[in-house]
Amino acid sequence: MSIDPPADPPAEPPGHQGRSPLPTADAAYWEAAAEAFDEEPDHGLRDPAVRAAWAARMRCWLPPGPCDLLDLGCGTGSLALLAAEQGHRVTGVDRSPGMVERARTKLAGRDAAFRVGDAAEPPVGERRFDVVLVRHVLWALPDPRAALRRWAGLLAPGGRLVLIEGRWGESAPIGIPAAELRALTEPWASHTHLEPLSHDRALWGREVTDERYALIAHVPLRHTEVVDVHLVLRRGGEVLLARRSGTGYADGLLHAPSGHAEDGEDVRQAMIREAAEELGLRLRPEDLRVALVMQHRAPDPAARPRIGWFFEAAYGAGGEPANREPDKCSQLDWFPWDGLPDDMVAYCRAGLDGIRAGHRFLLHWHRPGDPIAHDPSAAGRALALDAP
């Protein structure tokens, strides 16, 4: 949903000093607000002049040909509908089931799909998009820089973020100034375009005096790949595996505790951070040993290749592992190293099998239609690069 600024901004929560205050509204608030959400002129776009103004802007912000668009905080789907009407394929994510249900109704029969989920960590799995559209959401997130990195990682080469933001209020302004947002995108954007929106009365259905703008940030056309890190934690003859849940990719399957490197991190730093976030472990660099490097690609034809680094660590290093992310992991347990379960993500199972066989470098290249899950009866996709 678009998180419009509250009338009476709350005090800054712990750990958020120096940034704009977060709204006090929780998921229940937005669920209750869903019924009346479209009554605001720039939410429901029911006024023909307001609707036409947003449609004209969308045509300028989006590619001219049909593209795959991800609308984060989509609310009731008003902007998603404009994109679909212009020929684009839309995926929407919102934390409110009520908002999502209204969006599904509004776009029934169109090339659009909607999911309930967190805009900061969208449950879209390995998919890549030509456009990620976000309106009035970034300002309310606790870590805008991390959210932008995540969203940029969802873009195909040459894709763009369309960020509609602002700064509201006079005595205690809240939001993100345009200059600050542009600086946040500089590390990864090939170029940006800033478009002021405050002066266009038709967009809002009334005169506005605060700062409102759109920032379009483009990612480079050159080939890039996400870098994964995977922890192979051994306890005698056992290995620790986590069952994925609520991520939008391979949910219900077992996988090694894992994540991806963020901007400015080397792979070992990324592994140490992910182990702390997922398992509560406090690993040291000397606790880790590189066991395998794998380039892999998911079965979805739109999925981008990834580079996976598998690090081994011994049980006891960094403390006792615990499930610190139950919203993403429904089970954390030990499994026999010499009898790995079949209900695993295929490329992770191939990586562990490769380590057991003594390999250090693998390719695991799914073909369209392959199962995400390991299938002992299916054709193997692992190719050892260090084999004779």
Side-chain angles (χ1 to χ4, degrees):
M1 79 229 53
S2 297
I3 305 177
D4 289 318
D8 298 306
E12 294 184 69
H16 198 68
Q17 285 75 16
R19 287 214 49 80
S20 304
L22 294 171
T24 55
D26 57 13
Y29 172 92
W30 292 113
E31 190 68 7
E35 184 175 354
F37 190 76
D38 278 352
E39 293 178 4
E40 287 293 323
D42 55 313
H43 289 176
L45 308 185
R46 292 167 174 169
D47 184 303
V50 175
R51 181 181 177 80
W54 280 102
R57 296 282 180 164
M58 293 280 282
R59 278 191 290 271
C60 294
W61 297 335
L62 304 183
C67 76
D68 291 309
L69 180 144
L70 176 62
D71 184 358
L72 297 177
C74 64
T76 60
S78 294
L79 293 186
L81 178 57
L82 293 182
E85 289 176 342
Q86 294 174 13
H88 304 297
R89 299 172 294 274
V90 177
T91 300
V93 174
D94 199 280
R95 68 188 295 194
S96 163
M99 297 280 191
V100 166
E101 186 58 37
R102 283 165 173 77
R104 287 172 178 157
T105 300
K106 193 177 290 187
L107 279 84
R110 299 187 179 274
D111 193 353
F114 295 90
R115 290 172 174 250
V116 176
D118 182 0
E121 289 288 342
V124 295
E126 301 289 296
R127 287 195 60 190
R128 290 294 176 267
F129 299 86
D130 303 299
V131 178
V132 174
L133 170 68
V134 194
R135 175 182 146 158
H136 296 173
V137 171
L138 184 67
W139 76 275
L141 299 180
D143 192 346
R145 188 185 302 275
L148 286 169
R149 284 197 299 265
R150 171 64 176 140
W151 299 342
L154 295 173
L155 291 171
R160 67 187 73 174
L161 284 184
V162 178
L163 305 166
I164 304 166
E165 283 294 336
R167 188 157 173 81
W168 304 271
E170 296 181 1
S171 60
I174 56 176
I176 302 179
E180 180 181 340
L181 183 52
R182 176 170 261 168
L184 288 173
T185 64
E186 281 182 354
W188 49 264
S190 59
H191 61 284
T192 59
H193 168 67
L194 181 66
E195 200 166 308
L197 303 178
S198 301
H199 67 283
D200 192 344
R201 183 184 188 280
L203 289 172
W204 316 107
R206 62 188 186 281
E207 297 287 345
V208 298
T209 58
D210 42 35
E211 181 185 20
R212 303 187 188 193
Y213 61 89
L215 183 73
I216 295 84
H218 298 257
V219 299
L221 281 166
R222 64 179 180 270
H223 178 75
T224 59
E225 293 189 8
V226 173
V227 177
D228 296 326
V229 290
H230 308 265
L231 182 63
V232 184
L233 187 63
R234 302 281 298 278
R235 185 179 71 176
E238 298 176 308
V239 63
L240 187 68
L241 298 177
R243 194 172 301 278
R244 297 174 65 88
S245 175
T247 68
Y249 179 76
D251 290 331
L253 298 177
L254 291 165
H255 197 277
S258 61
H260 64 269
E262 297 184 352
D263 289 342
E265 284 185 324
D266 64 43
V267 290
R268 190 168 60 177
Q269 290 171 333
M271 187 74 270
I272 290 172
R273 174 183 53 76
E274 289 288 349
E277 292 174 357
E278 294 188 23
L279 305 174
L281 297 180
R282 302 299 175 188
L283 296 175
R284 302 168 299 173
E286 55 266 31
D287 294 327
L288 297 170
R289 182 184 72 86
V290 176
L292 179 80
V293 179
M294 169 197 284
Q295 188 186 35
H296 59 97
R297 187 181 68 184
D300 187 341
R304 300 289 300 165
R306 303 165 77 101
I307 300 292
W309 288 69
F310 289 72
F311 287 91
E312 281 190 331
Y315 174 68
E320 184 70 24
N323 185 0
R324 297 304 177 101
E325 294 184 333
D327 57 323
K328 300 178 184 178
C329 173
S330 62
Q331 178 190 5
L332 186 69
D333 212 341
W334 298 94
F335 294 84
W337 178 243
D338 290 329
L340 294 172
D342 287 339
D343 58 336
M344 292 185 65
V345 177
Y347 85 83
C348 181
R349 170 62 187 264
L352 298 189
D353 285 344
I355 295 171
R356 292 168 59 231
H359 294 301
R360 299 295 299 276
F361 303 98
L362 284 182
L363 283 178
H364 191 273
W365 216 252
H366 274 301
R367 297 176 186 174
D370 281 353
I372 294 173
H374 171 68
D375 182 354
S377 64
R381 300 302 186 201
L383 174 64
L385 299 182
D386 53 357

